[in-house]
Amino acid sequence: MNLLKAVRRLLGHDDLPEGFNGRLDADEQVLATAVLGDGGHLVVTSRGLWLPTPDGVRRLGWHLVSKASWKNGALEFVEAQERDVVDGAVLIADLPPQRLRLAEPGRVPEMVHARVTGSIKSRHHRDLPGGGAWFVQRKVPGRDGIVMQVRADAGTDEAALRQVVGEVARTLKLS
């Protein structure tokens, strides 16, 4: 290991795996990497998770990771999809859970946990007709400020949701 690699490891930074074809932002730092059980790598950076795709890799920003856990040698996570914006608040919906088996997890589980929980500034559940919704304020990596995300429970009345989201967004002066 050369001196630069040793210093980076002491500072808590990993190197990109060989063959990684993603383009990191200038100030994006590699925090951890892991070899996937079926080949390829998972890369954890200050901006998000770099996930393997059939065409290479894609970055999933921390503000779009709804949940993440480490179970039985695998990282399980739920990706949120932005579906609309109401007066500056972002309506999101969770995609089906994904599971990545890690051959050697290293610091990946702890880094993912720290980044996901660290991105959440506040959260509050509000009952609405037919269900309810989670209102979550999150920090978006690489941007100043906070984004308000709203995730409706199944069965929540869409008109009531949009009305309340608009009221909250205007109160907080999001737009």
Side-chain angles (χ1 to χ4, degrees), residues 66-79:
S66 291
K67 301 170 192 160
S69 63
W70 175 248
K71 294 180 189 173
N72 302 320
L75 177 67
E76 295 182 9
F77 64 96
V78 175
E79 179 177 349

Side-chain angles (χ1 to χ4, degrees), residues 1-11 13-15:
M1 182 182 311
N2 68 30
L3 182 59
L4 180 59
K5 284 184 179 182
V7 170
R8 288 183 52 77
R9 286 207 183 269
L10 283 173
L11 295 174
H13 302 292
D14 283 356
D15 290 321

Side-chain angles (χ1 to χ4, degrees), residues 101-124:
R101 192 171 55 79
L102 306 181
E104 297 177 22
R107 295 186 348 250
V108 167
E110 68 185 88
M111 286 291 136
V112 169
H113 180 264
R115 288 293 165 159
V116 172
T117 57
S119 73
I120 299 169
K121 301 305 171 194
S122 72
R123 61 183 166 205
H124 174 77

Side-chain angles (χ1 to χ4, degrees), residues 10 26 30 43 48 52 55 63 97-99 114 116 118 121 136 139 141 150 167:
L10 283 173
V30 177
V43 176
D55 300 327
H63 66 293
Q98 297 181 57
R99 188 173 195 271
V116 172
K121 301 305 171 194
V136 183
K139 173 84 174 103
V150 182
E167 290 169 5

Side-chain angles (χ1 to χ4, degrees), residues 85-90 135 137 146-150 165-166 168-175:
V85 177
V86 176
D87 293 328
V90 181
F135 289 74
Q137 290 185 312
I146 302 290
V147 64
M148 170 67 75
Q149 295 175 329
V150 182
V165 169
V168 170
R170 287 187 294 278
T171 299
L172 295 175
K173 297 178 174 52
L174 296 180
S175 56

